[in-house]
Amino acid sequence: MHEDEIAGGRITLADVASKAGVSLSTVSKVLNGRPDVAAPTRSKVERLLEANGYQRPAPTQPESRLIEIVFHELESIWAMELIRGVENVAKSRNMSVVLTESGTRHAPGPEWIEGVLRRRPLGVVLVFSTLPDDLKRKLRSRAINFVIIDPAGDPEPDVPSVGSANWAGGVAATRHLIELGHRRIGIITGPDDMLCSLARLDGFRSAMGMAGLAVDPDLIRYGDFHVQGGHDGALDLLERPDPPTAIFAGSDLQALGVLEAARVKGLQVPRDLSVVGYDDIPLAQWASPALTTVNQPLLEMAEEATQMLLRMAHSGDTADAGTMRVELGVRLIVRKSTAPPRDSTGPGAG
């Protein structure tokens, strides 16, 4: 399809310009994400393009050798693992990677779309729980493919995504502690508005229920997936009159905070308190003691998301992209931060 044709030739970009009362060059500026177009004019042109089913052919200029990965923050080792995964695939195809920080953990900020339309990458890896409908339409109208990596949530059905088995990870972590003999188990999951946090908490509850153990709501805390959140939640739990003998932290960074809280309270891990993390970031094995954790294959998730973008670009068909949903498995890695409780002689005790 020629670039100035829309919906199989039913309407041309010249027709859009005429209907919008603007020049053809203005329509071209809107298509290319140029900033020098008044907002009302831009909105009018975009509405006409969308109403007539315009979808720009996949770009062939040098900019199409870019893959963009977008985070709401770039502070954690967790983010670095995802970047490594995208880089691995990009380098194998002689492509470059652009890193962008924008928005909240739920979606990129509105300012991001202008930049990405100017850069025209081959595709975008988004580390968010969702993507607003207007941003999806704009990306699709320019044939910019996108995939969400969703440890932070559960994307809509029309959004291609790569995730992991959060519920199964919560079950595995909790079952390990139960099999060691722990009965009073605390959990510090992630934020209460993130579905991965709730899925790990549901896995925790399911494992407790399958073992015939009651879940004490006073031993449930919500963190922020960072060290401080784990530290604060653990101090709160450990200062209770009847503290837990084990804590399942919803991320390795939070687990590091739990280790520090235990030290402050004069407790030894795992003699006085067992700790299980989540993610298996490289730092987990170098903690003191080395963390028992759930391996979430972050690098592989990012690699799969990038491969998915390349497959969509190769097929030239983004219309069916939303049917793609990949969920990778997780596994428990047992190290030195877990042991039977002090009043137990081993598995099944209590």
Side-chain angles (χ1 to χ4, degrees), residues 3-339:
E3 185 171 322
D4 67 352
E5 295 176 342
I6 296 178
R10 291 196 300 271
I11 189 170
T12 67
L13 296 187
D15 293 329
V16 171
S18 177
K19 288 176 180 290
V22 300
S23 67
L24 185 58
S25 66
T26 297
V27 175
S28 178
K29 288 179 181 180
V30 172
L31 283 171
N32 288 285
R34 291 271 298 277
D36 52 337
V37 179
T41 301
R42 182 184 303 280
S43 297
K44 183 188 296 184
V45 171
E46 287 178 340
R47 283 197 301 270
L48 285 168
L49 291 169
E50 292 167 7
N52 289 279
Y54 178 80
Q55 184 170 335
R56 188 167 187 146
T60 58
Q61 61 266 43
E63 287 78 10
S64 66
R65 303 304 298 171
L66 292 176
I67 296 290
E68 184 159 345
I69 180 168
V70 190
F71 295 87
H72 80 279
E73 62 179 8
L74 291 170
E75 299 176 354
S76 71
I77 300 172
W78 177 87
M80 293 305 300
E81 285 296 287
L82 296 178
I83 293 169
R84 283 179 55 211
V86 174
E87 283 275 7
N88 287 348
V89 176
K91 285 181 179 179
S92 72
R93 302 296 184 92
N94 294 316
M95 302 181 73
S96 299
V97 177
V98 175
L99 304 181
T100 302
E101 186 174 17
S102 175
T104 68
R105 60 178 174 261
H106 296 293
E111 79 289 345
W112 166 73
I113 192 67
E114 300 296 335
V116 75
L117 294 181
R118 288 194 300 271
R119 288 186 290 275
R120 295 289 300 279
L122 181 74
V124 182
V125 175
L126 295 149
V127 189
F128 297 94
S129 57
T130 189
L131 190 63
D133 288 340
D134 62 325
L135 298 190
K136 287 189 286 189
R137 287 194 300 270
K138 289 177 180 179
L139 291 173
R140 285 170 176 156
S141 74
R142 311 304 196 276
I144 299 175
N145 300 307
F146 57 90
V147 176
I148 284 182
I149 295 180
D150 71 341
D154 189 15
E156 294 89 347
D158 67 332
V159 176
S161 64
V162 178
S164 67
N166 289 294
W167 179 85
V171 169
T174 310
R175 182 176 290 162
H176 170 66
L177 293 170
I178 292 170
E179 290 174 349
L180 287 173
H182 293 276
R183 296 297 177 263
R184 190 161 177 78
I185 304 171
I187 179 172
I188 307 170
T189 190
D192 61 4
D193 61 350
M194 295 175 70
L195 290 184
C196 63
S197 304
L198 301 179
R200 293 169 197 176
L201 177 58
D202 285 344
F204 166 80
R205 288 182 169 131
S206 295
M208 295 287 282
M210 287 185 284
L213 300 174
V215 174
D216 185 345
D218 290 335
L219 297 184
I220 297 174
R221 296 291 183 276
Y222 293 91
D224 58 4
F225 286 144
H226 293 289
V227 175
Q228 190 67 50
H231 178 267
D232 294 347
L235 281 181
D236 195 26
L237 290 171
L238 296 174
E239 288 171 355
R240 296 186 58 80
D242 189 8
T245 63
I247 294 177
F248 167 35
S251 73
D252 287 341
L253 293 178
Q254 287 189 162
L256 294 178
V258 175
L259 294 181
E260 175 58 18
R263 187 194 66 79
V264 169
K265 299 297 292 182
L267 302 176
Q268 292 187 23
V269 176
R271 187 193 69 176
D272 304 311
L273 178 72
S274 284
V275 179
V276 178
Y278 202 104
D279 289 330
D280 194 25
I281 59 176
L283 188 59
Q285 62 182 312
W286 298 108
S288 182
L291 276 175
T292 292
T293 185
V294 176
N295 175 272
Q296 180 174 217
L298 297 171
L299 187 143
E300 290 83 357
M301 289 162 62
E303 289 178 337
E304 176 59 32
T306 311
Q307 294 283 11
M308 191 182 290
L309 285 176
L310 295 174
R311 289 195 296 270
M312 285 190 284
H314 179 73
S315 69
D317 184 6
T318 60
D320 295 329
T323 63
M324 289 188 285
R325 183 75 182 270
V326 175
E327 182 175 273
L328 301 184
V330 298
R331 60 193 176 94
L332 184 72
I333 307 294
V334 179
R335 296 194 179 103
K336 296 182 178 180
S337 65
T338 52

